[in-house]
Amino acid sequence: DAGVIQSPRHEVTEMGQEVTLRCKPISGHDYLFWYRQTMMRGLELLIYFNNNVPIDDSGMPEDRFSAKMPNASFSTLKIQPSEPRDSAVYFCASSLPRDGGGTDTQYFGPGTRLTVL
Amino acid sequence: QKEVEQNSGPLSVPEGAIASLNCTYSDRGSQSFFWYRQYSGKSPELIMFIYSNGDKEDGRFTAQLNKASQYVSLLIRDSQPSDSATYLCAVKRGNNRLAFGKGNQVVVIP
């Protein structure tokens, strides 16, 4: 399997612009997670989906952030408008629970390094 | 109380020595426990998972779980410079999400 795929790997944008991050989970995994990682706050869960349905978005910092999962193989995280404090590495991860035949392990994509100027 | 705590500061170990990392968690109902390794500028990668009390060994790595004490640890034997990284402890919550600790940086000195 190719693993979790994320694009773009790097994104530099100006404050106020819209940013869209993309993720393709591992085939067969029914959970998808979006994280943000900074030096100050560590790894933070933003939102996660089960079978394409958002389950918990309590980690989404503001209404400027939105996420969708239109099908089992694709998800987006959008920031509109972007601000300098959104600069971070954004990871997507997917998993298959133990009661679904998996191990509960979350497998991470390579991340998108976002810089907002 | 934080969900997952990794309190130790950076750990420096000589090459060939044992590195010991500790983690405590707050949810007594947690069932699955994970150690991830993260190299600088890379994504977290799974080292080991453990479900049951006791030890689980995989090569140079041993995970230890004590649910009564709500404690999980990772031992790295015969530490190598390639083991220099940040190690993240994670615990599965009942809603299928993982709670992560802040991580411990390990530096193996040749």
Side-chain angles (χ1 to χ4, degrees), chain A residues 2-6 23-26 29 31-33 35 91-96 102-110, chain B residues 34 36 43-47 49 51 98 100:
Chain A
V4 176
I5 298 172
Q6 289 186 248
C23 175
K24 176 179 169 55
I26 293 173
H29 283 190
Y31 278 81
L32 183 140
F33 304 82
Y35 291 91
F91 290 107
C92 175
S94 70
S95 73
L96 184 64
T103 64
D104 290 335
T105 302
Q106 289 186 16
Y107 295 91
F108 284 76
Chain B
F34 306 83
Y36 286 81
S43 59
E45 58 178 334
L46 179 73
I47 296 177
F49 60 83
Y51 303 143
L98 295 185
F100 283 86

Side-chain angles (χ1 to χ4, degrees), chain B residues 2 6 9-10 17 24-25 31 36 43 61 66 87 97 109:
Chain B
K2 294 181 181 177
Q6 295 179 256
T24 58
Y25 60 95
Q31 295 295 318
Y36 286 81
S43 59
F61 297 96
N66 184 325
Y87 290 80
R97 71 174 184 86
I109 303 168

